[in-house]
Amino acid sequence: TNVPYDNRGIGGRALPYSNTENRIFLGGGGGAGQSNNPDGFQAPGGNGGGIILITANTLVANGHVIKADGYAGFTCNGTNTYCHEGMGGGGAGGSILLGIQTYTDPAAAIARGGKGADMVAVGIGRLGPGGGGSGGIVWTTGTATLSLTSTITGGNNGTNTGSGND
């Protein structure tokens, strides 16, 4: 009954990445949003990033990027009369493992989390946006990793644009 409302979800549990156990994971899918109208809008979370394994003596990037990003949660467009649901979370970034000895040109590996879905409906209420997905992981072996840039960031949270983010 008090504003601003605090209706947040609970974050996921950390996964035990381990070199000694040779264990890696797919990026987890974003959590589904709250939905109580079966015939209306459903609020799915974004898909998680995959697993990329590359073993090579030489990598020629040619300006391309190695990417295992999570996807954004699906945002309702605000015109649907059933947009009054909590929104889905962004998917987590995946795992990139690179066993490369030589990079002939600058290369980039990216495993970012997806953005949480925005709540964009106007005048329907103060319903929760989706949380951002976690960043993934980039592991490298080889001696020439100075030519590799890695980006591992969590996704942005969604906002409640229909109520001034209240």
Side-chain angles (χ1 to χ4, degrees):
T1 60
N2 297 319
V3 295
Y5 299 102
D6 186 5
N7 294 327
R8 63 182 164 208
I10 298 171
R13 183 180 172 129
L15 297 174
Y17 283 98
S18 170
N19 285 338
T20 58
E21 296 180 21
N22 292 323
R23 186 183 305 185
I24 58 173
F25 299 94
L26 293 164
Q34 170 274 337
S35 180
N36 62 359
N37 295 300
D39 296 332
F41 172 73
Q42 303 299 309
N47 291 331
I51 296 175
I52 298 173
L53 305 168
I54 299 176
T55 302
N57 288 327
T58 303
L59 177 75
V60 180
N62 277 338
H64 296 284
V65 176
I66 302 165
K67 191 182 292 189
D69 286 347
Y71 284 76
F74 184 77
T75 296
C76 187
N77 64 15
T79 60
N80 186 322
T81 58
Y82 293 103
C83 283
H84 56 285
E85 309 293 357
M87 297 293 108
S95 297
I96 300 174
L97 285 75
L98 304 174
I100 298 168
Q101 296 304 313
T102 305
Y103 295 84
T104 62
D105 54 339
I110 302 174
R112 299 172 294 201
K115 182 184 180 306
D118 292 335
M119 164 47 78
V120 297
V122 177
I124 291 179
R126 293 178 175 93
L127 296 153
S134 71
I137 192 164
V138 175
W139 279 346
T140 62
T141 61
T143 57
T145 57
L146 294 177
S147 296
L148 176 71
T149 302
S150 60
T151 304
I152 305 165
T153 56
N156 292 330
N157 58 280
T159 58
N160 190 335
T161 61
S163 296
N165 205 31
D166 184 7

